Amino acid sequence: VRPSGGEVISYRKPRTTAGTLFKDFTSSKDLNNGWETVALSGGAVDLNRLTLAVNLYRGGGRNNSVELRIAVNGETWGRSFTIRGPADGGKGLLDTLRHLAPANPAWIVPDARKVVGKVQ
């Protein structure tokens, strides 16, 4: 998660001035049905400038379904996405963030506005 072009919040840096990653499920005993949670701080977030990038770091198979949820002031929106490729251990992170596009099939870069229904 990178709010408004600021510092990236990830397993590499779980706490920044913009927010905190509370759980990274690559180390969980149960990698299925787990929620990684990022809480943003500092007031309003511009969805037009919010970067979301999701990687299948570890695990098996292809075409893994993930659900992203965004909660604001007690209201929650969600949308499912598919990660098409096999796990890659996070390869391509910098290219994914630089180009705002998946560096390989183990990444997705969903549009936060689509999650909350602002863009179809």
Side-chain angles (χ1 to χ4, degrees):
V1 174
R2 181 172 55 194
S4 301
E7 269 189 288
V8 174
I9 303 163
S10 75
Y11 71 95
R12 291 181 176 187
K13 189 165 188 180
R15 185 178 305 266
T16 74
T17 57
T20 302
L21 168 66
F22 288 99
K23 180 65 182 153
D24 180 8
F25 273 94
T26 62
S27 60
S28 173
K29 291 179 182 176
D30 180 12
L31 296 178
N32 294 317
N33 302 316
W35 291 101
E36 293 193 8
T37 303
V38 175
L40 300 179
S41 54
V45 174
D46 182 353
L47 293 180
N48 295 307
R49 298 187 64 212
L50 178 65
T51 301
L52 303 174
V54 180
N55 175 257
L56 182 60
Y57 190 90
R58 188 180 310 155
R62 295 176 182 267
N63 298 318
N64 290 283
S65 179
V66 298
E67 182 179 350
L68 296 179
R69 292 185 183 180
I70 296 177
V72 179
N73 294 329
E75 192 167 354
T76 303
W77 301 268
R79 185 165 178 165
S80 293
F81 296 88
T82 300
I83 297 177
R84 303 254 179 242
D88 75 348
K91 293 176 185 162
L93 170 66
L94 296 178
D95 283 340
T96 295
L97 294 173
R98 184 178 305 116
H99 301 293
L100 300 179
N104 63 56
W107 286 94
I108 58 170
V109 182
D111 187 333
R113 298 170 303 171
K114 288 184 179 180
V115 176
V116 299
K118 298 296 183 187
V119 174
Q120 296 302 321

